[in-house]
Amino acid sequence: MSAVVGAFVALVSVAVLGYVVGLTGVLRAQDELVLSRLAFFVATPALLFTTVARADLHSIFSVVFVTNVASLFVVQVIFLLVAALIWRRTRSEATIGVLASSYVNAGNLGVPVAAYVLGVGAVVAPILLFQLLVMAPIAFAVLDGDRQGTGRRVSLRTVVARPFRNPLTVASLLGLLCAALGVHLPTLVMRPIDLIAAAAVPVALVAYGLSLSAGTKDSITLQRDVVLAVLLKTMVQPLAAYAVGRWVLDLHGAALLAPTLLAALPTAQNVYVYAVHYRSSRTLARSVVLLSTLLSIPIMIAIAGLLG
């Protein structure tokens, strides 16, 4: 347990550094966008490629993935039942709410947590791919077909092709291809990729802390949709992952810690980007991203302490 908590201390320390440099003005609020883009488009894809390409495919597509998908569906069904059937939210509002309550930050925060706390960075890859290749396209199809979204319909080809323009998707798929075919790239090629990949975790964490230093300046709300989404994301999803892992799949120790911990990741910032693009539930998305992010660290530390 001390090793797990120690890994979290390292992660939190770097995130706190980002928060401090943001508060003191060493880095500006707009620098968070630069760091996030560096992590998203360059460093994290390199890290995903190197970890997945060298990983055992059996360790990637494991019960961790199955457990997380099960917990994801649990919270999505609960939000849909409440928001769509009881509160009568529109399709766009319900779709953004479903994403906000279940779409985990697998890229910016999931990769560092998996790499440093669990010791297997590749374990987050199938979750990331599932969100980008399955969840997001389905959500886009619903939002694109809703006249309260952008006001125009988008072709099926556009919806299907969109995930493959995401560098995290491309890097993960290329890594999977190398792992499946047993391709080992020469050291001369892998060394610069490894060098770039080494920057992924610290850059992402500094950007994460920097975003928190300016986050309270954005308007948030505690309306019932937000409260429901935050509770589902931070409490129900990890509890569901634990329940499925412990009593359905009979997992113990590290095998149970991994899915529970990854299910406790906060809502990804992508959800707010989607809400802005489709002009629906922007305040809800922004509020859930911020509140779940603030709550996630203590919750994940508690999970690591209890299950580690």
Side-chain angles (χ1 to χ4, degrees):
M1 183 177 72
S2 60
V4 173
V5 175
F8 256 117
V9 169
L11 293 178
V12 173
S13 299
V14 179
V16 169
L17 174 63
Y19 182 79
V20 170
V21 296
L23 285 182
T24 56
V26 174
L27 293 178
R28 303 161 297 174
Q30 54 266 40
D31 293 331
E32 187 264 331
L33 176 61
V34 177
L35 292 176
S36 295
R37 288 178 65 84
L38 175 63
F40 182 84
F41 286 101
V42 182
T44 302
L47 179 60
L48 281 172
F49 173 77
T50 57
T51 54
V52 174
R54 292 165 174 157
D56 179 4
L57 291 182
H58 294 291
S59 68
I60 298 179
F61 293 98
S62 61
V63 289
V64 174
F65 174 61
V66 175
T67 305
N68 273 273
V69 171
S71 67
L72 178 150
F73 280 125
V74 168
V75 298
Q76 288 184 341
V77 169
I78 293 174
F79 189 92
L80 275 178
L81 288 175
V82 175
L85 298 182
I86 299 177
W87 294 340
R88 302 294 182 181
R89 297 294 184 252
T90 66
R91 286 193 302 170
S92 291
E93 292 170 340
T95 301
I96 296 298
V98 163
L99 291 177
S101 63
S102 61
Y103 199 110
V104 302
N105 191 339
N108 288 347
L109 194 56
V111 172
V113 168
Y116 273 73
V117 179
L118 302 176
V120 187
V123 75
V124 79
I127 300 171
L128 178 66
L129 289 174
F130 180 81
Q131 292 185 159
L132 293 173
L133 298 177
V134 179
M135 280 181 61
I138 292 175
F140 296 154
V142 175
L143 292 166
D144 284 328
D146 194 339
R147 292 296 181 179
Q148 295 193 21
T150 60
R152 60 184 177 84
R153 296 184 183 276
V154 177
S155 67
L156 178 61
R157 179 181 177 182
T158 301
V159 174
V160 172
R162 181 179 282 139
F164 297 97
R165 295 196 294 267
N166 188 307
L168 302 181
T169 308
V170 175
S172 298
L173 290 176
L174 288 175
L176 283 173
L177 182 63
C178 290
L181 298 178
V183 175
H184 300 283
L185 297 178
T187 303
L188 190 63
V189 175
M190 291 300 295
R191 187 165 293 171
I193 300 178
D194 287 331
L195 188 61
I196 296 171
V201 173
V203 170
L205 290 174
V206 170
Y208 178 77
L210 185 58
S211 68
L212 293 181
S213 70
T216 53
K217 298 177 182 178
D218 294 327
S219 60
I220 63 170
T221 179
L222 291 177
Q223 62 181 1
R224 56 188 181 180
D225 300 71
V226 172
V227 173
L228 175 62
V230 171
L231 286 176
L232 288 174
K233 181 72 223 57
T234 59
M235 301 297 294
V236 177
Q237 191 166 357
L239 285 174
Y242 176 85
V244 172
R246 178 66 181 86
W247 292 301
V248 177
L249 299 176
D250 195 30
L251 301 180
H252 301 277
L256 182 59
L257 170 63
T260 307
L261 193 64
L262 294 178
L265 290 167
T267 302
Q269 291 99 329
N270 299 33
V271 176
Y272 178 64
V273 174
Y274 302 155
V276 171
H277 178 73
Y278 287 101
R279 304 173 190 173
S280 177
S281 302
R282 283 173 285 190
T283 302
L284 180 147
R286 179 174 58 240
S287 300
V288 175
V289 169
L290 176 60
L291 294 174
S292 66
T293 298
L294 292 174
L295 292 172
S296 65
I297 293 297
I299 289 175
M300 286 191 290
I301 291 176
I303 292 172
L306 292 172
L307 300 182

